[in-house]
Amino acid sequence: MKHLFAAGLMAASLMTSLPALAQDKLSVMLDWFVNPDHAPLVVAQEKGFFKDAGLEVTLTAPADPNDPPKLVAAGGADIAVSYQPQLILQVAEELPLVRIGTLVSTPLNSVVVLRDGPVKTLKDLKGRKVGYSIAGFEDALLGAMLEKQGLSLKDVELVNVNFSLSPSLLSGQVDAVVGAFRNFELNQMEIEKHPGRAFYPEEEGVPPYDELILVARKDKANDPRFKRFLAAVERATLYILNHPEDAQAAFVKGRPELNDELNRRAWADTLPRFSHSPAALDAERYTRFAEFLKARGLIKAVAPVDQYAVVVK
């Protein structure tokens, strides 16, 4: 018995003296500062799911939200959080990118007005000012929504508010804004005692699309780290759905600025929109949206989906 006990102590000593297995490093550029849209990534980090998958993941917020996909295309980061519409436009411009996963599988973009203002329906936008931040896609989105109501972009005055969406609406600078994320702007306006009303693109003639996706450089699409990364993100997403309070506690750990009323409300509104299977791909959905962008004149041709969106093997 003493010999067995001694052998056990020796084995335990050997195990504790062995070096820990090296973690594969992986860099992820976010699309914006950390917010509830990124919950699966942050929770996977905080709960050790990336570590369990043999990954050392760094999450970095960009100085400029336009930079992450370009940085990945140039080899400066492994993965970027991006947007399905942006990906299709950038691939048409020959940026070597490919979608490898999905974070948020429904549109978040919306047209928002003041609930107690004069705009009750989209038809009421005729002759009014609409604020936007990104020319091109947001114009196309708004144009399609207006056309369903018998209007066109010529019936409104577009004003570039440079990402100052809610403030420009609350100040009276514009009568509506396009590009407002329904999980944030509506909550911010409610908190400021000026509740808003949203019109949803997917209900007004725009094909549904994935709002937030994960993109990588095209020639790295089958990097073996990505499959483990996506499995950890899926694990985190299910953990969030099953344990929302514990997940939120992990999300705000060390980030007190995320534990305010706006982010708590946004957390609750974003949860149902996370992709339950981040690696899954609906190719038909991507084709439909590319056809929409072509019809709006934003791309010249619809490329085969497998050229810019894949299921990681």
Side-chain angles (χ1 to χ4, degrees):
M1 182 64 72
K2 289 181 180 179
H3 292 298
L4 289 173
F5 182 69
L9 285 176
M10 183 177 293
S13 176
L14 286 171
M15 288 180 68
T16 56
S17 64
L18 288 174
L21 292 175
Q23 305 277 299
D24 292 327
K25 293 184 177 181
L26 193 69
S27 57
V28 179
M29 288 293 299
L30 304 178
D31 61 309
W32 199 247
F33 53 84
V34 176
N35 64 73
D37 292 346
H38 309 128
L41 302 176
V42 175
V43 171
Q45 184 88 290
E46 294 294 339
K47 300 301 293 185
F49 299 158
F50 286 141
K51 185 176 180 182
D52 291 347
L55 298 171
E56 182 183 331
V57 176
T58 56
L59 305 175
T60 305
D64 183 335
N66 294 311
D67 287 346
K70 299 173 185 176
L71 190 63
V72 166
D78 297 310
I79 295 172
V81 176
S82 190
Y83 312 87
Q84 182 186 335
Q86 184 182 45
L87 170 67
I88 296 173
L89 296 176
Q90 290 178 329
V91 168
E93 296 170 355
E94 300 187 351
L95 220 58
L97 294 170
V98 64
R99 172 267 180 207
I100 61 167
T102 300
L103 267 186
V104 175
S105 58
T106 76
L108 294 177
N109 207 322
S110 60
V111 172
V112 171
V113 301
L114 288 169
R115 189 187 299 169
D116 59 0
V119 179
K120 307 301 182 185
T121 71
L122 287 173
K123 287 184 178 180
D124 296 329
L125 288 176
K126 185 172 182 178
R128 299 187 183 277
K129 295 179 180 180
V130 181
Y132 73 95
S133 298
I134 303 173
F137 172 61
E138 289 180 359
D139 299 7
L141 193 93
L142 178 63
M145 296 173 73
L146 291 173
E147 285 174 17
K148 189 181 178 187
Q149 303 299 327
L151 302 177
S152 74
L153 287 175
K154 294 180 181 179
D155 291 308
V156 301
E157 180 184 345
L158 293 174
V159 179
N160 189 337
V161 297
N162 194 28
F163 295 102
S164 183
L165 295 171
S166 298
S168 66
L169 187 58
L170 296 178
S171 69
Q173 180 185 356
V174 295
D175 303 295
V177 291
V178 60
F181 271 21
R182 62 194 71 172
N183 55 336
F184 275 92
E185 261 76 19
L186 290 176
N187 282 310
Q188 184 175 359
M189 293 170 71
E190 188 80 34
I191 290 169
E192 295 185 22
K193 309 300 182 185
H194 294 285
R197 181 196 313 276
F199 301 100
Y200 305 119
E202 66 273 23
E203 296 179 357
E204 299 291 345
V206 178
Y209 61 92
D210 297 342
E211 190 68 61
L212 287 187
I213 60 173
L214 300 160
V215 300
R217 186 178 164 90
K218 189 173 183 179
D219 59 5
K220 304 280 188 180
N222 287 315
D223 186 316
R225 296 173 298 171
F226 294 166
K227 187 171 184 178
R228 287 181 281 147
F229 172 80
L230 292 170
V233 173
E234 179 175 351
R235 183 181 174 190
T237 302
L238 296 177
Y239 185 87
I240 291 168
L241 295 173
N242 293 336
H243 310 282
E245 292 183 3
D246 289 345
Q248 187 176 24
F251 176 71
V252 302
K253 182 181 178 183
R255 303 175 185 86
E257 72 279 5
L258 296 178
N259 198 22
D260 61 8
E261 186 177 359
L262 174 59
N263 279 284
R264 287 193 294 271
R265 288 188 181 208
W267 170 275
D269 286 349
T270 311
L271 256 59
R273 301 183 180 278
F274 290 128
S275 173
H276 297 180
S277 183
L281 171 66
D282 185 341
E284 178 63 27
R285 195 182 202 205
Y286 271 65
T287 297
R288 284 197 305 269
F289 200 78
E291 289 172 345
F292 166 77
L293 294 178
K294 181 176 182 292
R296 304 305 304 182
L298 294 182
I299 58 175
K300 293 180 179 179
V302 175
V305 175
D306 60 7
Q307 290 188 11
Y308 62 90
V310 299
V311 175
V312 175
K313 299 177 180 178

